[in-house]
Amino acid sequence: MVDMSQALADFERARAESRVRVTTKIDRLKHAVLAPLRELGITSVEIAFDGYGDSGAVERIFSYDAENQESELPEEAVVLLEGDDTARETSMRSALEELTYAALELHHPGWENNDGAGGALEIDVAQGSFMLDCKLRYTAYDDHYDEL
């Protein structure tokens, strides 16, 4: 027989460990992308995502310069520190996608399921701020019973 209190405790422990792992990953990714974006003269970035029906993806990455003109995201290499303090190199685009997926995993797990969600991760490079704008979709209906 399953001990429900133990199963719940195991679930909560696994959830807490996952939260720490993903939060650490997000912090490392944020740190890795900010300096290169600043050096490239990019002042803001918007990573658009969309998904539904158990599938979702980053759709497009927009980057803007100081005049708020859209600019091409450079193929700049980014160095990411891993959990064991080893480093790996990836493209800026890959790092931004990875950051977006990690933010969605932390704040809106299952965002791509059923009616899904869409939105963007917005980065203010100058301020060093990151804002996840996630619009969750759902089907709703009103059910009325009237006695006649």
Side-chain angles (χ1 to χ4, degrees):
M1 177 173 239
V2 174
D3 178 356
M4 289 307 291
S5 61
Q6 184 61 49
L8 184 57
D10 291 345
F11 174 77
E12 288 299 326
R13 183 175 44 259
R15 192 168 89 169
E17 289 169 359
S18 175
R19 185 171 194 81
V20 168
R21 179 185 51 79
V22 174
T23 299
T24 301
K25 181 178 187 174
I26 289 170
D27 289 343
R28 288 185 173 144
L29 285 160
K30 285 169 49 177
H31 179 75
V33 300
L34 272 179
L37 287 171
R38 286 182 179 133
E39 289 171 13
L40 293 166
I42 296 172
T43 58
S44 65
V45 177
E46 181 180 305
I47 304 113
F49 60 88
D50 193 36
Y52 62 92
D54 302 336
S55 178
V58 167
E59 299 287 324
R60 184 147 183 241
I61 299 176
F62 303 90
S63 60
Y64 301 92
D65 62 20
E67 285 76 42
N68 206 27
Q69 297 296 312
E70 188 173 350
S71 60
E72 190 68 29
L73 185 66
E75 292 298 320
E76 188 75 13
V78 175
V79 177
L80 300 174
L81 291 178
E82 299 294 337
D84 57 0
D85 290 331
T86 60
R88 72 176 162 97
E89 195 171 283
T90 189
S91 70
M92 176 65 75
R93 180 171 302 282
S94 293
L96 292 170
E97 287 179 0
E98 198 174 328
L99 175 59
T100 303
Y101 292 130
L104 286 165
E105 178 183 347
L106 181 64
H107 295 287
H108 300 286
W111 65 275
E112 74 283 7
N113 293 330
N114 302 320
D115 291 347
L121 174 61
E122 300 165 356
I123 304 171
D124 182 328
V125 177
Q127 297 295 318
S129 65
F130 296 75
M131 181 62 66
L132 180 63
D133 177 12
C134 184
K135 295 164 179 49
L136 301 172
R137 294 186 285 264
Y138 62 94
T139 301
Y141 62 91
D142 290 327
D143 196 3
H144 300 270
Y145 291 93
D146 299 302
E147 186 175 339
L148 303 177

